[in-house]
Amino acid sequence: MTQNAQTYPGERLGLPREGAGSIGRLGRRVGALFIDYGAAYLVSGFFAWDPLAILAIFALIQVAFLPTLQGSPGHRLFGLRLLRLDGAWVGLWRPVVRTLLLVVVIPAVIWDADQRGLHDKAAGTVLVRG
């Protein structure tokens, strides 16, 4: 009988158990989400706090910062980085796909054993500790 179970999230991806390069955990992810959404909410004041403006600004923050800083402002404040599975630059299309699925919400709350949401799986990315 072969043992397929992993002992920690990210093990089968070749990531360390803890520290830099390990899977970004739920607390950090939620904190980063609050920072990014809060920033979008504040900026949307210029648009009378229109809910669609909030969502559009949130998406713009994600698409602008993911390829340039390896994470959104919230990710960076919480010590997270977005990487491709092979460690290369995420490029331009991955942040767009990831963000479109993130704003739909459901793909972001369905995870695999590595604690990667469907939005990350679809984009071929992983959120790790920086």
Side-chain angles (χ1 to χ4, degrees):
M1 183 170 147
T2 57
Q3 184 178 8
N4 291 336
Q6 60 183 16
T7 57
Y8 63 90
E11 180 179 19
R12 59 185 178 149
L13 299 175
L15 301 175
R17 179 185 298 265
E18 43 190 52
S22 64
I23 291 287
R25 301 303 172 113
L26 180 62
R28 290 174 187 257
R29 291 173 185 231
V30 171
L33 182 65
F34 274 105
I35 295 292
D36 295 338
Y37 194 81
Y41 181 81
L42 290 174
V43 173
S44 74
F46 292 108
F47 304 97
W49 290 282
D50 182 318
L52 288 177
I54 297 170
L55 199 56
I57 294 165
F58 174 80
L60 183 63
I61 289 170
Q62 299 297 308
V63 171
F65 287 102
L66 291 177
T68 57
L69 296 179
Q70 290 186 317
S72 68
H75 290 147
R76 301 308 292 167
L77 285 172
F78 278 88
L80 298 171
R81 291 182 302 135
L82 185 74
L83 302 174
R84 277 182 23 187
L85 288 176
D86 62 5
W89 179 58
V90 295
L92 298 175
W93 71 266
R94 283 180 175 79
V96 172
V97 168
R98 185 181 188 276
T99 300
L100 289 174
L101 292 172
L102 182 61
V103 298
V104 175
V105 177
I106 299 300
V109 297
I110 298 174
W111 299 340
D112 66 4
D114 293 311
Q115 295 183 357
R116 289 175 62 216
L118 291 180
H119 64 303
D120 276 324
K121 290 182 70 96
T125 57
V126 62
L127 196 58
V128 298
R129 291 178 62 186

